[in-house]
Structures are given as structure tokens and as C-alpha cells.
Amino acid sequence: MLASKPPNYVAKPLTLLSKHCKHSVFIGMILTLILSSITTVVVILLPDLIKLRFNLDADLFGFSHSLGIVFMIFGCVFYGILSNYQNFGKILAAGSALLIAMIFAFFYHLDAGGDYILIMYALLGFCSGIIGMMPAILVQLFPTNVRLTGMALCYNVTYGIVGISIPFGLGYATTLVSFSPALYVAFIGFIGIIMGLYFYNLPEFKKIEHVI
């Protein structure tokens, strides 16, 4: 005979997530994949990947990378503010499409000599600012009483997978095909477009104080 649960019993967050929030966890991991991939490639890996196949002035390139990070911050703020006034699904889809166009323009520019690397890196950083929207979307995926656990699960699992696989996989691919970073970021951008269309067609999210 099964023992009855005490009246003050509260299910553990992971139990609630596994029972009621499988879909939210999946969507959260996809969004974190976009966030972690753009951050890992554009902010951390891109300088070393570019040096594998392109010859640029080291000092100028280092400054360009720093400038790109600064403009990414501006992009995060811009997309975050814009999503407050527009359907964020539409903003995510449009921003992802712009990122795809920009990453290919960036690498074609490198292939042509990289004379305007400062401008191109700044534009790429700004377009990468779509990552600023991800936490705002993630917050609304999970009910209040499991929100921290749900977001932590999505972040830690996905970041762990990306952090292990992408540096090695993309580094090897770049030795074979110089445009490999652009192809990967474009793939992530395509996922962003799909997710943007998905959110655009949702009627609305659950209320922020929703509890299960």
C-alpha cells in the first residue's frame, strides 16, 4: 500500500518540470542554443578561427574584436528595447535574418582583404545583439515556482554541450573550409528565424506570476 503524501508536501522543481514543462524546457534549450552559440563563436572563438585562414594586422584586428563586443552590447540594448514595443517573435525572426546576411558579408569582406574590418566587426557585433532578447523570453516560459530551476537547467545543459563541442568541431571544420564559422552562425540564425515565427504565431505567453 502506497504511503499518502503529507498535507504540506511540495513537489520538487525538477519533478514539476518533468511533468508539466517538457515543452518549455525544449524551447528554452533551443533559445539557449542560439544564445550560447552566438556568444561562443562571435565573442570567444572568432578571432582564433579567422587567424586560421586569413592574414590581418594583429593590432587592428584585436581592436576590431573589442569594438565588435562593445557594439554587441549596444545591439542587446537595442533589441531588448525594441521587443518591448513590438512582437518579439517578429523581432527575433528579423534580427536572425539580418545576422545571417551580416555574417556572410563579414566573411566575404575578409576574403576580399579585410580593408574595412572595423566597420564590419562593429556591424556584426550589433547584429549579434539579438541574444539580448533570449533571457526576456526564457523568463516567460516557466511558471514562477519553477522558473529558476527551468532556466538553470536550460542554460547549464545547453552551454555545457556547446562549450565542449563547438570549439573543437568548428576549429577542425575551419581548417577545411574557411567559411565554416559563417555557415554555423547562419545555421543558428535559421533556427532563430524558425523560433521567431513560432513565437509570432503564439496567442500570448502565460502570465509572469503563473504557478503550477
Side-chain angles (χ1 to χ4, degrees), residues 145-211:
N145 55 324
V146 294
R147 180 166 297 145
L148 180 60
T149 304
M151 293 182 66
L153 178 65
C154 295
Y155 262 76
N156 290 311
V157 172
T158 310
Y159 257 104
I161 294 172
V162 170
I164 292 172
S165 59
I166 296 304
F168 293 104
L170 204 54
Y172 176 73
T174 304
T175 62
L176 303 176
V177 180
S178 62
F179 272 51
S180 292
L183 294 173
Y184 179 71
V185 173
F187 169 71
I188 293 300
F190 180 69
I191 295 176
I193 292 174
I194 294 175
M195 295 307 299
L197 295 175
Y198 169 78
F199 287 120
Y200 180 73
N201 289 295
L202 282 181
E204 68 176 299
F205 268 144
K206 300 172 184 175
K207 290 187 178 297
I208 208 78
E209 69 274 9
H210 180 74
V211 176

Side-chain angles (χ1 to χ4, degrees), residues 1-6 9:
M1 183 176 179
L2 294 174
S4 60
K5 295 177 181 177
Y9 171 81

